[in-house]
Amino acid sequence: MANGRLAHSRVGVLGTGEVGRRLAAGFASRGHQVMIGSRDPDQPELRAWLSGDGAGIKAGTLAEAAAHGELLVLAVLGNASEEAIAAAGTGNFSAKVVIDAMNPLDFSGGFPPKLSITGEDSLGERVQRALPDAKVVKAFNTIGNPYFVDPSFSEGTPTMLIAGDDEGAKRSVGDVLADFGWSDVVDIGGIEGSRELEAICIAWVKIGGVRSAWDHGFTLLVS
């Protein structure tokens, strides 16, 4: 995986929850021009964040953020992703690298959640099908959002697992991850690997429930 530094560029982050805000702030901290997209860019909570931790980040509609970004991040609720993509306009994703940081979580049975997409499919694959002209890379979905940037653990370095069909796109995401402080990135193959990565998220959540703490990550060890 590449260890270079991503050239400064325009980044569009779709989604204003904790995941979206963490990633938007991470890109902004590395000098990128970031716009965060929301169905309601004037919502008070978002405006309060933009005047504090999100200072310097612009806000717009989903379509405006998608059009702004040369690199795009999908960070809406997983089960609302296809609706968000339609609202953003599929043409705004064409030929772009799209980081899918989402998980399709089903909380209808309480905690812990299940995956709402299982079997021979995944959210990552659905996103790629919805965006046939984009280059989708699954990343950031197997770790808690406080560790997206400059991950630090007392007992070692976490591994970031990624999946996607386009090799060049995965190299670009590798550059993002290197710039964000990830020294161990493992590419598990095509976008169908999202099936395993999304299942790993459920394991991560279950471990958090058992521990009553969310300061854990996974590391790949080799002999």
Side-chain angles (χ1 to χ4, degrees), residues 2-103:
N3 292 312
R5 181 179 178 88
L6 184 71
H8 288 170
S9 61
R10 298 189 308 276
V11 178
V13 177
L14 281 67
T16 58
E18 288 188 9
V19 169
R21 293 197 303 265
R22 290 275 187 178
L23 288 170
F27 279 105
S29 74
R30 268 51 179 179
H32 302 284
Q33 299 175 42
V34 182
M35 178 179 286
I36 193 166
S38 171
R39 291 179 181 83
D40 178 12
D42 293 319
Q43 59 180 286
E45 183 181 356
L46 176 58
R47 288 295 165 183
W49 179 77
L50 291 168
S51 65
D53 291 343
I57 296 171
K58 297 179 180 179
T61 64
L62 294 172
E64 288 169 340
H68 166 85
E70 300 166 279
L71 170 71
L72 298 177
V73 180
L74 281 170
V76 299
L77 288 176
N79 293 326
S81 61
E82 290 169 285
E83 178 187 344
I85 287 168
T90 55
N92 285 325
F93 295 83
S94 183
K96 296 178 182 179
V97 175
V98 178
I99 297 175
D100 167 15
M102 306 176 294
N103 287 297

Side-chain angles (χ1 to χ4, degrees), residues 47-180:
R47 288 295 165 183
W49 179 77
L50 291 168
S51 65
D53 291 343
I57 296 171
K58 297 179 180 179
T61 64
L62 294 172
E64 288 169 340
H68 166 85
E70 300 166 279
L71 170 71
L72 298 177
V73 180
L74 281 170
V76 299
L77 288 176
N79 293 326
S81 61
E82 290 169 285
E83 178 187 344
I85 287 168
T90 55
N92 285 325
F93 295 83
S94 183
K96 296 178 182 179
V97 175
V98 178
I99 297 175
D100 167 15
M102 306 176 294
N103 287 297
L105 302 180
D106 174 5
F107 284 94
S108 63
F111 184 91
K114 301 178 294 184
L115 291 177
S116 62
I117 304 170
T118 59
E120 299 299 304
D121 201 6
S122 65
L123 181 59
E125 290 169 277
R126 291 191 182 186
V127 169
Q128 184 64 85
R129 289 199 299 271
L131 298 170
D133 297 324
K135 305 164 188 178
V136 179
V137 180
K138 193 83 176 183
F140 292 106
N141 78 301
T142 60
I143 191 75
N145 68 76
Y147 303 101
F148 285 169
V149 183
D150 297 321
S152 177
F153 290 82
S154 60
E155 297 183 7
T157 303
T159 301
M160 177 64 75
L161 301 173
I162 70 170
D165 290 339
D166 188 276
E167 296 300 322
K170 288 190 284 191
R171 285 192 293 271
S172 294
V173 174
D175 288 344
V176 170
L177 291 164
D179 208 15
F180 279 18

